[in-house]
Amino acid sequence: MEQVNGDTLAAARKVIAVHINYPSRAAQRGRTPAQPSYFLKPSSSLALGGSPVERPAGCELLGYEGEIALVIGKAARRVSIEDAWNHVAAVTASNDLGVYDLRYADKGSNLRSKGGDGFTPMGPALLPADAVDPAKLRIRTWHNGVLVQDDTTGDLLFPFARLVADLSQLLTLEEGDIILTGTPAGASVAKPGDVLEVEVETVDGRLSTGRLVTTVEEGTTAFADFGARPKVDDLQREEAYGSREAAGLAAVAPALTPELKAKLESVATATLSSQMRKRGLNNVSIDGLQATRPDRRVVGLARTLRYVPNREDLFKTHGGGFNAQKKAIDSVNEGEILVMEARGEKGTGTVGDILALRAQVRGAAAIITDGGVRDYSAVADLEMPTYFANPHPAVLGRRHIPWDTDITIACGGATVQPGDIIVADSDGILVIPPAIAEELVADCIQQEKEETFIFEMVKQGNSVDGLYPMNSEWQARFQEWEAGNHND
């Protein structure tokens, strides 16, 4: 079987890598692309198996990704999916190495983070393309002898022939070019002294590339101050290791747990408002709106959308196509509330029946806008509540341009940030800072117990003098009443 050698590497004019292709990796990343996307690695990043790779000095996160590499055998330009595999000469094992410390520097091109010398080792053997079924290959990766990646090509998001055909639509794939076809879940971080191994074989075990071995070494030459220097944060650590737990980071508690949501649903909006006033928060209500479902009570995390006043030249560039309004609707998640800033302008509909339905299908808890609603009857018939200023038949281009999403906005006189907790019912709409929510609702629950007691005492004929609010005598009686109810 032919081996990857210096001639193989020298023949590669282009190295093209696919971002996400395995369902297991898509699940890990939390996004599944509708179409393949790519980045280039320089041919100088290629290396033979057995070669060491340097983790650059000052870098912490050298990520490894076991991948199947395609070697182009004859030029491909505008080829069909049916013909594409005929343009592949061989497959082999590869390791798509890169430093997350430099991801920020090139804004998606990955040149510095993925393009270092030795960052694309390949080999050791080439499996002839005509001797394998591209949908029946297995890839495995070992980190210091421990199996960390194990997947097959049976359910790829984008089969290999599709990648070749897709790329050939815009550029000529030349003989010797290499396509890295994505990595499955399990990719992580290697440190100096670690040994990485990648193997590709047919699922029946008939053919194998053998193990591609790469040893990690520590770089000794520091980056100069005239270029980007390594820097990392916990987000990059989480991305590099695959999870916060794997990176040794503390888990981030969700801002709205099911338990907290249930507590917020159990207390009145009026009680929440009074408790926030005690904390000096007086401007936290979204005012002046009506509801399509006034009988509903909703609690959810805010997502935001901002409209700016219409300007005809800007509407041409921002108003059409998959604009900010449609992006916001199409990205709202289960239980979230989309809050729109329309400046209180009532002369245009800011959402209509189709987009409101799309939000409901995605699981949104509600839509809140301080502008108008189009197709009012249809929107009102939806199960999902919509809070709005008034019905209006006009479309966006009359008064508004959908501008941006998930930023701090103003709606109905209140400032709303993405991730704020929104509570809405027939009494009104409140914006709760997540940091105080647990303490706030605990005090609300206690307040409502006290008010239940006061109501009962008034019902029995007691005067409100000294009872509402309670003086020390009534406080003592309340504690007895509370203890008795608790024992029941």
Side-chain angles (χ1 to χ4, degrees):
M1 193 177 297
E2 186 178 351
Q3 301 291 297
V4 174
N5 55 37
D7 291 340
T8 309
L9 306 188
R13 299 180 63 178
K14 296 186 289 295
V15 181
I16 303 168
V18 179
H19 280 109
I20 294 178
N21 199 12
Y22 286 80
S24 61
R25 181 69 161 178
Q28 186 180 47
R29 289 298 200 208
R31 59 184 185 274
T32 300
Q35 302 292 341
S37 62
Y38 313 94
F39 60 93
L40 286 168
K41 299 188 76 168
S43 57
S44 55
S45 71
L46 293 169
L48 295 173
S51 304
V53 66
E54 178 183 287
R55 186 182 75 175
C59 288
E60 173 189 334
L61 302 174
L62 176 67
Y64 62 82
E65 300 176 1
E67 305 208 10
I68 298 173
L70 312 183
V71 182
I72 298 299
K74 63 179 179 178
R77 176 71 166 122
R78 296 195 176 108
V79 300
S80 66
I81 292 177
E82 293 73 20
D83 182 47
W85 193 245
N86 295 324
H87 293 260
V88 178
V91 301
T92 191
S94 184
N95 198 335
D96 182 15
L97 296 157
V99 280
Y100 282 74
D101 314 60
L102 292 172
R103 272 178 108 192
Y104 77 95
D106 292 314
K107 300 296 183 184
S109 78
N110 288 338
L111 178 61
R112 274 177 276 206
S113 62
K114 292 274 195 175
D117 287 356
F119 277 17
T120 318
M122 288 177 50
L126 293 164
L127 305 184
D130 59 7
V132 302
D133 182 339
K136 294 181 179 180
L137 294 173
R138 182 185 188 191
I139 181 167
R140 290 183 292 175
T141 304
W142 293 263
H143 184 181
N144 292 332
V146 177
L147 182 65
V148 292
Q149 291 184 290
D150 188 353
D151 213 331
T152 70
T153 58
D155 61 349
L156 292 177
L157 300 176
F158 314 112
F160 295 161
R162 178 174 172 181
L163 298 178
V164 174
D166 183 39
L167 286 164
S168 77
Q169 293 186 92
L170 286 173
L171 54 91
T172 300
L173 295 172
E174 299 165 298
E175 183 179 354
D177 285 352
I178 293 163
I179 302 173
L180 305 182
T181 57
T183 194
S188 189
V189 172
K191 298 178 180 179
D194 288 355
V195 177
L196 303 169
E197 300 169 275
V198 184
E199 181 181 16
V200 174
E201 63 179 357
T202 55
V203 292
D204 60 9
R206 180 174 50 88
L207 296 173
S208 170
T209 62
R211 293 196 185 186
L212 169 70
V213 181
T214 305
T215 302
V216 181
E217 297 181 347
E218 180 70 272
T220 57
T221 303
F223 284 90
D225 59 6
F226 49 75
R229 292 186 176 186
K231 64 178 182 180
V232 297
D233 56 23
D234 284 351
L235 175 60
Q236 293 305 318
R237 293 185 178 96
E238 180 181 353
E239 290 268 306
Y241 281 93
S243 69
R244 293 185 65 83
E245 181 181 12
L249 302 171
V252 176
L256 186 60
T257 63
E259 294 77 16
L260 176 57
K261 185 173 183 289
K263 290 177 182 178
L264 288 167
E265 289 171 339
S266 73
V267 297
T269 305
T271 310
L272 289 164
S273 179
S274 66
Q275 285 294 332
M276 282 197 282
R277 286 199 66 185
K278 289 182 179 180
R279 291 163 171 77
L281 293 170
N282 294 302
N283 300 306
V284 289
S285 63
I286 297 176
D287 297 332
L289 305 186
Q290 53 187 307
T292 59
R293 295 280 180 172
D295 57 319
R296 298 292 177 82
R297 180 176 179 81
V298 295
V299 178
L301 294 180
R303 297 285 299 277
T304 61
L305 166 65
R306 180 167 70 107
Y307 295 103
V308 298
N310 186 36
R311 205 178 87 184
E312 288 74 9
D313 61 322
L314 295 177
F315 191 85
K316 289 179 181 178
T317 58
H318 289 76
F322 196 55
N323 58 31
Q325 179 200 43
K326 293 176 182 176
K327 289 177 183 176
I329 293 288
D330 219 45
S331 65
V332 67
N333 295 313
E334 183 80 26
E336 294 178 336
I337 297 174
L338 180 57
V339 186
M340 301 179 178
E341 175 186 334
R343 311 175 312 284
E345 207 293 311
K346 300 179 180 180
T348 296
T350 55
V351 68
D353 59 343
I354 293 175
L355 294 184
L357 175 61
R358 176 60 176 159
Q360 176 176 287
V361 169
R362 288 192 58 83
I367 291 175
I368 299 172
T369 174
D370 61 357
V373 164
R374 297 180 67 231
D375 312 307
Y376 170 74
S377 295
V379 173
D381 284 341
L382 296 177
E383 288 295 312
M384 178 193 69
T386 295
Y387 299 81
F388 62 102
N390 61 282
H392 201 284
V395 296
L396 291 180
R398 182 168 187 255
R399 298 282 175 84
H400 300 299
I401 307 172
W403 197 254
D404 44 16
T405 63
D406 291 321
I407 60 167
T408 300
I409 64 167
C411 181
T415 297
V416 182
Q417 294 190 302
D420 281 343
I421 297 173
I422 304 294
V423 179
D425 63 12
S426 57
D427 275 350
I429 307 168
L430 293 177
V431 183
I432 300 174
I436 69 166
E438 288 282 2
E439 172 193 306
L440 181 77
V441 77
D443 288 348
C444 287
I445 291 170
Q446 182 63 21
Q447 178 181 327
E448 292 198 345
K449 288 180 182 177
E450 293 177 1
E451 290 178 350
T452 298
F453 169 75
I454 293 169
F455 185 86
E456 288 190 12
M457 295 302 102
V458 171
K459 189 176 180 180
Q460 292 174 16
N462 291 283
S463 169
V464 295
D465 184 26
L467 173 61
Y468 187 52
M470 291 187 288
N471 58 23
S472 57
E473 180 183 346
W474 279 113
Q475 283 284 355
R477 291 182 63 178
F478 165 71
Q479 289 170 10
E480 292 176 3
W481 173 87
E482 185 180 29
N485 285 344
H486 180 73
N487 290 336
D488 292 343

